[in-house]
C-alpha cells in the first residue's frame, strides 16, 4: 500500500479509537506518586484505570515501571488511565501492605476492581494493552476452547450478527493486542471470538494450520438463514495487524456486488480506495438474472481480494468489443481499464490472484483477433458465406426489443400465459444462429401488433437445460407452442419471408373447416379467413362427400403435417357436390387457387395414403415454370428430376417466357423441371456457370443438368432461338445420345465446409462438472424430475445419459453468460461471435 494511504488509514483508526474525554490523571504519560488516598478519591464511575502500587525503595519494580509507563499513551487512547501509586512505608492497607501484592497491577472501573494482573504477565506494551482490553471487553469478546463452544455461539448469531473469530498462539502478543483493539471499536457491531487452542484451527477448515501464526476469520452469520448450514467464512489473508483487521472488516461491510450504470472510468469504490482491484462483470438485460448470480459467485470467491461490480451494457455505451464480458480496473493511477474475454469464473479469480495473467490474457486476445482478421479476409480458409457475413457485421446491433427473452425461470410461465408463442432456440456465438436472429428481428418488426402471436428467444448456450428439455439437439430451431396442442417445429428456409409466412399460417387451423359455400368460394379467392386476407398464399381446398370419409381423414392428417407451410381448407357439407361440379371434378378432389383465385385448377384425389397425399400436395403447390432462388431450390431438388434451366441476366423476355411455359405445360414436363434463374437477383448463378464452364457464357443460356444421374451438363445451341419446337427437337437428340455434354460434374458429395454442431455433445464436453443456471442459492440443488413441455410434448431426450449431464452442468454463477458466452473449445469451427 502507498505510504500516503497507510498514513491516512492510521490517522482514521486513531480517531476511531480516541476516547470522548481526557483522563483524570493527565493528558499524557504516567502521573507519578499519588498517594493511595488521593488515587481512590479521584476515581470516576465508569472510567477505567490501571494502577501499580509500589514503595520508593522497590528496585525490582523498575523494569515493569518502564513498560507500564510506555503503555500509558496507548491505553489513554481508549480512555484508560495508567497510574503509579506511591505507598508510604507505614501503609498496611490491602494494596500496599504486603510484598506479594506489590507484584501485581490492578484494573479498576470506577472504584470497582475488575481484575488483578501479575506483573510478569504484563511484560511489554503489547501484553499490557492486550490484557487490559481483554479484561474490559469481557462481554464483547468470547473466549472459546472447544469446537462445540464455537458452534454454539455461531448458532446463536445466525440471522443476527456477524462473527469475527481469531486465533492467537498466546495472549499478550502483538496479534492479541491488534484483535482486542479492533474489538474495542467494532465489538458492538460484530461478535468477537478468541481462542489460543490450535486444535480449533483444523476443526474450522483451515487444512494444515500453522499454529505459530495468528489467524482471523470473518463469519457471515447475519446472512445465514439455514440453521443446519455453517456461516460463510472469509479469512484475512494478511498479517494480523490493527490496520489489516480494520481494512478487512471494512471490506466485509461493503455490498457484495455493486451495480454500475456509468462509465467505469468514473467508478470509485471502497476496494479501489483500499488499494484493491475492481472486477466488472459486463451484463445485458437479456441475461441480467444469470449475470447477477455470476457476479455474486465471483464476489464470494474474491471477497477481501477485489471488488465486483455488475456493469450494464444497456445503460452504458462502451466502445469495446461486444464479446468482452469482464473488465478489470486497478487502483493504480493512469492505468486504463482492461476489457477481456474470459471462459469461466475460474479465469476471473486467477486473473485477480495472478497479476501476470492479465498481460497473458491480453496477449492471447490480440493473437486471436489477428487470427480472426486473417480468417475474415481469406475466403480460401473461411469459405462459409454465413460465417463471413456474421463476422463482417459483428458490431451491428439488432433491434430485438419486440422479442421476449426467455430464461429457465420464465420459460414455462411465459408459454402458459400466451395463446401462441414462437420460440427461437439459438446459440449466441454460432454464425447461422446469428444470421437467423437477424431474420427473426425482421419478422418481429413485420408482425408487431399482430394479436395472438408472441415472439421469444432462448439462448441455448446460456440455458442448455431448457433446450435439452425441449429436445433441441441442433440450432437454430424454431418451435410454435399453442395451449393444449403439440408444439410445431419449423423445418423450412430461414429467410424473413418464409419465417413470417410460417408463423402467420400457423395461426389458422390446417386444414380449416369451411361451413358454407360462400366461405369456400371466399377461401379460394383468398378472402377467408380474415387474418390471412392480406397475405398472398396459394389456397388449397379439399372437397369431400359423405361417401369419401377415408380420403377426408387422410387429408386432415396431411394438414397436420403441413401446418404452417400450406394454406389448406376443407369442405364436406351437403352441397359439396355442387361445388365440385362447378369446377368439373368429382369428390374427393383438390381445388388449387393461385394468384387470388383468378384461376382454379381441379385435381382428383386417387390416393388416400397420408404420405402420398402430402407428397402430392407439395408437388402441386410448385410453380409450373418457376424462377429458381436460394430459398426454393431445395423443394425442386427433392423431385430428383433433371433441370432444364434458363440462365438470364435480368428478367426473362416475354417471348422466351411464353415458349418455356408452353414446354412446361406439355407432356414432357412430367419428366424434368423447366425453370429459369435471374443472375441479377440470384448472383450465385455466376459461380454455378463457372463450375459448368471455364468462363460465364453469353446470356441467356439454356442448359440441361442431370444432377441425380451422371452429372452431365448439356448446352442448348446458341445459334438456335429458344422456342418450344427447337427445344423439343434438341431434347430428342439428347435422349438418343447424339449430343456431347459440355461438362460433367464431379461425383463428390456436396458437403458443408465445416461439420455440423452437436449441441448436447458440446455441452457435455464443455462443462461436465457444472450444473445448469438456477435461481436457488449456492449449495441448494435438490433433484427434480424434468418437466413436461408446455406444448403438450413430453420433454424427452435422445440419450438417457444426457439427463444426468444436464443435471450436472452449472452451479449458480460458475459460467460467464451475458454478452460473451463461454465456448467448449477454441477450434476454428467454434469461433466466438457476438450477437451481430
Amino acid at each position: 500500500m502507498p505510504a500516503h494511504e497507510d498514513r491516512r488509514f492510521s490517522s482514521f483508526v486513531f480517531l476511531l479509537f480516541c476516547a470522548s474525554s481526557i483522563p483524570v490523571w493527565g493528558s499524557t504519560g504516567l502521573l507519578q506518586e499519588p498517594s493511595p488516598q488521593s488515587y481512590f478519591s479521584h476515581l470516576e464511575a465508569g472510567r477505567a484505570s490501571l494502577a501499580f502500587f509500589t514503595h520508593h525503595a522497590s528496585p525490582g519494580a523498575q523494569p515493569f515501571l518502564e513498560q507500564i509507563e510506555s503503555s500509558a499513551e496507548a491505553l489513554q487512547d481508549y480512555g484508560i488511565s495508567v497510574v503509579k501509586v506511591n505507598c508510604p512505608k507505614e501503609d498496611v492497607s490491602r494494596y500496599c501492605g504486603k510484598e506479594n501484592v506489590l507484584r501485581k497491577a490492578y484494573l479498576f472501573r470506577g472504584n470497582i476492581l475488575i481484575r488483578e494482573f501479575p506483573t510478569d504477565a504484563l511484560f511489554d506494551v503489547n501484553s499490557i494493552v492486550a490484557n487490559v482490553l481483554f479484561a474490559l471487553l469481557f462481554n464483547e469478546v468470547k473466549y472459546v476452547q472447544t469446537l462445540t463452544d464455537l458452534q454454539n455461539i455461531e448458532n446463536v448469531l445466525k440471522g443476527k450478527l456477524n462473527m469475527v473469530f481469531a486465533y492467537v498462539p498466546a495472549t499478550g502478543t502483538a496479534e492479541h493486542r491488534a484483535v482486542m483493539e479492533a474489538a474495542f471499536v467494532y465489538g458492538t457491531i460484530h461478535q468477537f471470538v478468541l481462542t489460543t487452542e490450535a486444535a480449533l484451527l483444523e476443526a474450522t477448515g483451515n487444512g494444515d494450520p500453522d499454529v505459530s501464526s495468528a489467524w482471523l476469520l470473518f463469519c457471515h452469520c447475519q446472512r445465514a438463514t439455514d440453521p443446519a448450514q455453517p456461516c460463510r467464512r472469509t479469512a484475512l489473508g494478511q498479517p494480523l495487524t490493527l490496520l489489516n483487521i480494520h481494512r478487512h472488516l471494512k471490506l466485509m461491510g461493503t455490498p457484495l456486488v455493486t451495480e454500475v450504470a456509468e462509465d467505469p472510468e468514473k467508478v470509485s469504490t471502497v476496494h479501489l480506495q483500499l488499494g484493491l482491484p475492481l472486477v466488472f462483470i459486463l451484463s445485458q438485460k437479456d441475461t441480467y438474472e444469470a449475470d447477477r448470480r455470476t457476479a455474486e459467485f465471483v464476489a464470494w470467491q474474491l471477497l477481501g481480494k477485489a471488488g465486483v461490480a455488475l456493469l450494464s451494457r444497456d445503460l452504458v455505451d462502451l466502445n469495446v468489443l461486444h464479446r468482452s464480458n469482464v473488465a478489470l480496473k486497478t487502483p493504480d493511477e493512469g492505468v486504463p481499464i482492461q476489457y477481456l474475454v474470459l471462459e469461466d469464473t475460474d479465469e476471473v479469480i486467477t486473473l485477480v490472484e495472478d497479476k501476470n495473467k492479465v498481460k497473458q490474457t491480453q496477449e492471447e486476445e490480440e493473437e486471436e483477433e489477428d487470427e480472426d482478421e486473417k480468417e475474415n479476409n481469406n475466403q480460401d480458409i473461411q469459405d462459409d458465406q454465413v460465417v463471413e457475413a456474421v463476422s463482417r457485421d459483428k458490431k451491428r446491433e439488432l433491434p430485438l426489443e419486440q422479442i421476449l427473452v426467455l430464461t429457465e425461470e420464465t420459460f414455462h410461465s411465459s408459454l402458459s400465459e400466451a395463446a401462441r408463442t414462437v420460440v427461437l432456440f439459438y446459440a449466441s456465438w454460432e454464425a447461422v444462429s446469428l444470421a437467423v436472429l437477424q431474420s427473426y428481428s425482421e419478422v418481429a418488426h413485420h408482425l408487431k401488433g399482430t394479436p395472438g402471436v408472441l415472439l421469444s428467444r432462448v439462448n441455448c448456450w446460456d440455458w442448455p437445460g431448457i433446450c435439452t428439455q425441449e429436445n433441441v439437439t441442433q440450432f437454430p430451431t424454431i418451435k410454435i407452442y399453442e395451449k393444449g396442442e403439440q408444439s410445431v417445429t419449423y423445418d423450412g428456409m430461414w429467410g424473413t419471408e418464409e419465417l413470417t409466412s410460417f408463423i402467420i399460417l400457423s395461426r389458422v387451423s390446417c386444414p380449416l373447416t369451411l361451413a358454407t359455400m360462400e366461405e369456400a368460394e371466399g377461401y379460394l379467392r383468398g378472402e377467408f379467413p380474415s387474418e390471412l386476407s392480406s397475405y398472398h398464399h396459394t389456397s388449397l381446398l379439399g372437397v369431400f362427400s359423405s361417401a369419401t370419409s377415408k380420403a377426408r381423414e387422410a387429408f386432415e392428417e396431411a394438414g397436420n403435417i403441413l401446418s404452417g407451410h400450406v394454406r389448406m381448407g376443407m369442405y364436406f357439407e351437403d352441397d359439396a357436390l355442387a361445388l365440385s361440379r362447378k369446377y368439373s371434378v368429382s369428390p374427393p378432389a383438390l381445388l388449387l387457387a393461385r394468384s387470388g383465385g383468378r384461376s382454379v385448377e381441379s385435381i382428383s384425389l386417387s390416393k388416400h395414403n397420408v404420405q402420398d397425399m402430402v407428397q402430392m400436395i407439395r408437388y402441386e403447390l410448385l410453380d409450373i415454370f418457376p424462377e429458381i432462388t436460394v430459398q426454393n431450390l431445395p423443394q425442386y431438388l427433392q423431385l430428383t428430376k433433371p433441370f432444364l434451366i434458363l440462365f438470364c441476366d435480368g428478367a426473362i423476355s416475354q417471348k422466351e417466357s411464353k415458349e418455356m411455359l408452353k414446354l412446361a405445360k406439355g407432356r414432357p414436363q412430367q419428366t424434368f423441371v423447366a425453370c429459369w434463374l435471374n443472375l441479377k437477383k440470384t448472383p450465385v448463378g455466376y459461380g454455378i456457370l463457372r463450375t459448368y464452364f471455364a468462363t460465364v457464357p453469353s446470356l441467356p443460356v439454356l442448359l440441361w443438368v442431370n444432377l441425380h444421374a451422371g452429372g452431365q451438363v448439356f448446352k442448348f445451341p446458341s445459334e438456335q432461338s429458344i422456342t418450344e419446337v427447337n427445344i423439343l427437337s434438341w431434347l430428342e437428340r439428347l435422349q438418343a445420345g447424339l449430343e456431347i455434354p459440355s461438362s460433367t460434374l464431379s461425383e463428390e458429395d456436396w458437403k458443408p465446409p465445416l461439420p455440423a454442431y452437436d449441441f448436447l455433445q458440446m455441452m457435455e464436453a464443455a462443462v461436465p462438472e457444472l450444473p445448469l443456471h438456477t435461481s436457488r442459492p449456492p449449495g441448494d440443488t435438490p433433484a427434480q424430475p424434468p418437466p413436461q413441455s408446455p406444448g403438450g410434448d413430453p420433454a424427452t431426450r435422445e440419450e438417457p445419459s444426457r439427463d444426468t449431464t444436464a443435471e450436472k452442468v452449472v452451479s449458480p454463477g460458475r459460467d460467464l453468460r451475458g454478452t460473451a458466452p463461454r465456448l467448449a473449445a477454441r477450434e476454428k469451427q467454434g469461433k466466438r461471435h457476438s450477437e451481430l
Side-chain angles (χ1 to χ4, degrees):
M1 179 181 293
H4 70 279
E5 291 190 9
D6 190 270
R7 289 193 299 272
R8 182 173 67 220
F9 288 119
S10 298
S11 301
F12 181 62
V13 174
F14 174 79
L15 292 175
L16 285 174
F17 289 178
C18 283
S20 59
S21 61
I22 301 175
V24 175
W25 298 105
S27 58
T28 58
L30 183 68
L31 181 63
Q32 297 294 324
E33 301 181 356
S35 65
Q37 294 81 5
S38 176
Y39 170 69
F40 286 112
S41 65
H42 284 84
L43 292 178
E44 292 184 3
R47 293 195 58 83
S49 62
L50 179 66
F52 174 68
F53 295 83
T54 182
H55 293 291
H56 286 293
S58 299
Q62 188 59 35
F64 171 72
L65 288 175
E66 294 175 358
Q67 294 299 324
I68 200 169
E69 185 169 358
S70 300
S71 67
E73 186 173 355
L75 289 175
Q76 182 179 291
D77 291 341
Y78 305 104
I80 303 169
S81 57
V82 179
V83 182
K84 184 186 83 169
V85 181
N86 186 22
C87 292
K89 292 182 179 180
E90 64 277 6
D91 194 337
V92 292
S93 64
R94 174 184 175 184
Y95 299 103
C96 292
K98 297 180 180 180
E99 184 64 27
N100 62 338
V101 174
L102 298 178
R103 296 174 183 170
K104 296 181 180 179
Y106 301 88
L107 179 64
F108 293 91
R109 179 178 281 122
N111 59 1
I112 300 174
L113 177 63
I114 302 297
R115 188 169 178 182
E116 300 177 2
F117 296 103
T119 55
D120 56 359
L122 307 180
F123 49 85
D124 61 8
V125 175
N126 288 330
S127 63
I128 293 172
V129 175
N131 284 298
V132 168
L133 291 179
F134 199 4
L136 289 176
L137 300 176
F138 178 78
N139 293 322
E140 285 80 4
V141 180
K142 304 291 185 182
Y143 183 82
V144 295
Q145 293 180 302
T146 66
L147 181 61
T148 302
D149 294 337
L150 178 64
Q151 290 174 340
N152 290 338
I153 295 175
E154 186 176 304
N155 290 334
V156 171
L157 294 176
K158 286 179 181 178
K160 300 174 184 177
L161 286 176
N162 294 318
M163 180 174 70
V164 180
F165 174 57
Y167 161 79
V168 292
T171 58
T173 59
E175 292 85 357
H176 183 205
R177 172 185 174 179
V179 172
M180 300 316 303
E181 287 180 318
F184 187 88
V185 177
Y186 295 101
T188 57
I189 304 174
H190 310 303
Q191 177 63 64
F192 279 72
V193 178
L194 182 71
T195 188
T196 56
E197 301 295 329
L200 275 179
L201 285 186
E202 185 174 354
T204 53
N206 195 37
D208 186 14
D210 180 6
V211 296
S212 63
S213 300
W215 186 60
L216 183 139
L217 280 179
F218 186 90
C219 305
H220 305 267
C221 295
Q222 199 169 17
R223 293 175 177 262
T225 56
D226 186 356
Q229 294 292 328
C231 303
R232 282 180 175 267
R233 297 164 179 172
T234 304
L236 171 63
Q238 298 171 304
L240 218 61
T241 65
L242 177 59
L243 183 60
N244 287 339
I245 295 175
H246 163 72
R247 187 168 176 266
H248 191 63
L249 297 183
K250 192 168 183 63
L251 290 172
M252 298 302 103
T254 59
L256 188 62
V257 175
T258 304
E259 297 206 18
V260 176
E262 61 177 326
D263 186 349
E265 294 285 359
K266 301 178 182 178
V267 174
S268 178
T269 66
V270 172
H271 305 86
L272 293 170
Q273 296 166 8
L274 295 179
L276 297 177
L278 181 62
V279 175
F280 294 91
I281 303 296
L282 274 57
S283 175
Q284 57 187 2
K285 63 181 180 181
D286 296 351
T287 55
Y288 170 80
E289 293 298 333
D291 296 334
R292 175 78 191 185
R293 289 195 297 273
T294 298
E296 289 176 354
F297 180 86
V298 172
W300 278 116
Q301 305 303 309
L302 295 178
L303 198 57
K305 303 174 184 177
V308 176
L310 193 62
L311 176 61
S312 174
R313 283 182 173 273
D314 303 302
L315 301 177
V316 182
D317 185 18
L318 297 176
N319 187 25
V320 297
L321 287 176
H322 196 68
R323 67 181 185 175
S324 298
N325 56 1
V326 172
L328 183 68
K329 183 175 184 178
T330 63
D332 304 321
E333 296 183 4
V335 177
I337 294 179
Q338 296 148 342
Y339 292 90
L340 307 167
V341 180
L342 300 184
E343 300 278 327
D344 54 31
T345 53
D346 289 341
E347 289 196 3
V348 182
I349 296 166
T350 303
L351 184 70
V352 171
E353 295 178 345
D354 184 1
K355 294 183 179 179
N356 295 328
K357 183 69 176 177
V358 179
K359 183 177 180 181
Q360 177 185 346
T361 303
Q362 284 184 311
E363 291 175 351
E364 290 177 356
E365 291 299 322
E366 291 173 0
E367 292 175 1
E368 188 173 324
E369 288 299 319
D370 292 340
E371 291 178 4
D372 287 346
E373 185 175 354
K374 290 177 181 178
E375 291 185 1
N376 293 342
N377 294 330
N378 190 344
Q379 288 300 302
D380 292 334
I381 298 175
Q382 187 172 309
D383 54 359
D384 189 318
Q385 294 185 2
V386 177
V387 175
E388 192 276 333
V390 170
S391 179
R392 183 185 62 241
D393 298 335
K394 61 185 176 182
K395 292 187 178 180
R396 176 184 174 187
E397 293 187 6
L398 293 177
L400 302 175
E401 298 81 8
Q402 304 298 323
I403 303 174
L404 178 66
V405 177
L406 300 182
T407 67
E408 225 170 43
E409 291 83 0
T410 62
F411 180 78
H412 298 288
S413 59
S414 297
L415 297 193
S416 61
E417 292 174 0
R420 181 177 291 101
T421 306
V422 184
V423 183
L424 168 65
F425 298 91
Y426 72 104
S428 57
W429 52 267
E430 193 261 333
V432 177
S433 287
L434 299 181
V436 171
L437 192 62
Q438 179 175 352
S439 299
Y440 198 56
S441 67
E442 295 171 358
V443 172
H445 176 72
H446 290 318
L447 298 182
K448 182 179 180 181
T450 302
V453 177
L454 173 65
L455 265 64
S456 61
R457 56 188 171 110
V458 173
N459 188 344
C460 287
W461 199 249
D462 284 349
W463 309 108
I466 301 177
C467 303
T468 303
Q469 292 167 8
E470 297 306 307
N471 200 27
V472 176
T473 57
Q474 62 183 10
F475 38 71
T477 292
I478 285 182
K479 289 191 174 188
I480 295 184
Y481 295 85
E482 188 173 357
K483 290 183 178 179
E485 301 290 339
Q486 288 191 346
S487 60
V488 177
T489 302
Y490 178 66
D491 59 359
M493 300 295 290
W494 292 108
T496 302
E497 183 179 346
E498 290 79 12
L499 284 173
T500 304
S501 174
F502 176 75
I503 294 170
I504 291 298
L505 286 177
S506 297
R507 299 174 62 203
V508 181
S509 299
C510 186
L512 177 65
T513 301
L514 305 172
T516 65
M517 190 86 152
E518 289 74 18
E519 285 185 356
E521 295 280 12
Y523 182 82
L524 290 173
R525 292 192 299 269
E527 300 170 358
F528 185 86
S530 58
E531 55 261 46
L532 296 184
S533 58
S534 59
Y535 295 89
H536 302 291
H537 298 284
T538 298
S539 298
L540 189 69
L541 179 63
V543 182
F544 304 92
S545 64
S546 57
T548 58
S549 58
K550 185 176 180 181
R552 190 184 78 190
E553 291 173 0
F555 186 77
E556 288 178 330
E557 184 62 29
N560 292 332
I561 296 174
L562 296 172
S563 177
H565 298 283
V566 180
R567 175 173 172 158
M568 291 175 62
M570 183 171 62
Y571 189 68
F572 54 90
E573 299 301 326
D574 295 337
D575 52 357
L577 289 174
L579 180 64
S580 61
R581 280 197 298 268
K582 179 179 179 179
Y583 294 101
S584 304
V585 70
S586 298
L590 294 182
L591 301 180
L592 192 65
R594 306 180 193 269
S595 304
R598 286 192 293 271
S599 63
V600 178
E601 301 174 30
S602 304
I603 306 166
S604 296
L605 282 176
S606 57
K607 296 181 180 180
H608 299 165
N609 178 274
V610 175
Q611 293 300 326
D612 290 341
M613 195 171 291
V614 168
Q615 185 176 358
M616 185 200 71
I617 290 172
R618 284 175 169 165
Y619 178 77
E620 293 296 340
L621 288 173
L622 297 176
D623 292 333
I624 297 174
F625 178 56
E627 177 188 357
I628 294 298
T629 63
V630 173
Q631 290 77 10
N632 65 17
L633 177 60
Q635 302 174 23
Y636 294 96
L637 285 175
Q638 289 176 358
L639 300 176
T640 65
K641 296 180 180 180
F643 275 54
L644 181 65
I645 181 168
L646 178 65
F647 288 82
C648 301
D649 187 17
I652 190 173
S653 69
Q654 186 175 359
K655 178 182 178 183
E656 292 167 345
S657 176
K658 181 179 179 181
E659 294 294 327
M660 291 293 295
L661 192 58
K662 286 165 54 179
L663 179 69
K665 290 181 178 180
R667 291 182 61 186
Q669 66 94 11
Q670 298 292 335
T671 60
F672 62 86
V673 177
C675 55
W676 68 287
L677 189 146
N678 184 349
L679 293 176
K680 287 187 176 179
K681 185 177 179 180
T682 311
V684 70
Y686 286 106
I688 294 174
L689 290 176
R690 292 190 187 96
T691 301
Y692 295 164
F693 311 99
T695 59
V696 177
S698 300
L699 300 177
V701 59
L702 181 65
L703 303 177
W704 174 277
V705 184
N706 195 344
L707 298 173
H708 308 284
Q712 292 181 327
V713 178
F714 294 89
K715 179 183 175 185
F716 181 75
S718 56
E719 64 273 10
Q720 295 185 24
S721 59
I722 298 177
T723 64
E724 180 186 13
V725 175
N726 290 341
I727 295 173
L728 287 175
S729 175
W730 178 60
L731 292 179
E732 290 178 358
R733 290 175 57 83
L734 285 180
Q735 295 175 357
L738 301 178
E739 291 288 332
I740 300 175
S742 301
S743 62
T744 302
L745 301 179
S746 170
E747 294 182 0
E748 182 181 357
D749 291 340
W750 295 0
K751 294 181 179 180
L754 298 175
Y757 294 107
D758 185 335
F759 168 60
L760 292 180
Q761 183 180 0
M762 289 182 68
M763 293 306 297
E764 288 179 359
V767 281
E769 79 288 359
L770 304 178
L772 294 169
H773 273 311
T774 171
S775 59
R776 305 184 195 96
D780 183 13
T781 55
Q784 294 183 356
Q788 286 240 334
S789 166
D793 297 335
T796 57
R797 296 174 174 85
E798 292 186 354
E799 297 182 22
S801 62
R802 287 172 180 165
D803 291 349
T804 306
T805 303
E807 291 290 334
K808 293 180 180 178
V809 181
V810 174
S811 84
R814 281 298 299 275
D815 53 347
L816 292 173
R817 300 305 185 191
T819 56
R822 186 172 58 81
L823 299 185
R826 294 180 179 268
E827 298 94 355
K828 289 185 177 180
Q829 60 266 37
K831 283 293 184 183
R832 288 175 288 221
H833 293 274
S834 63
E835 293 191 3
L836 294 180

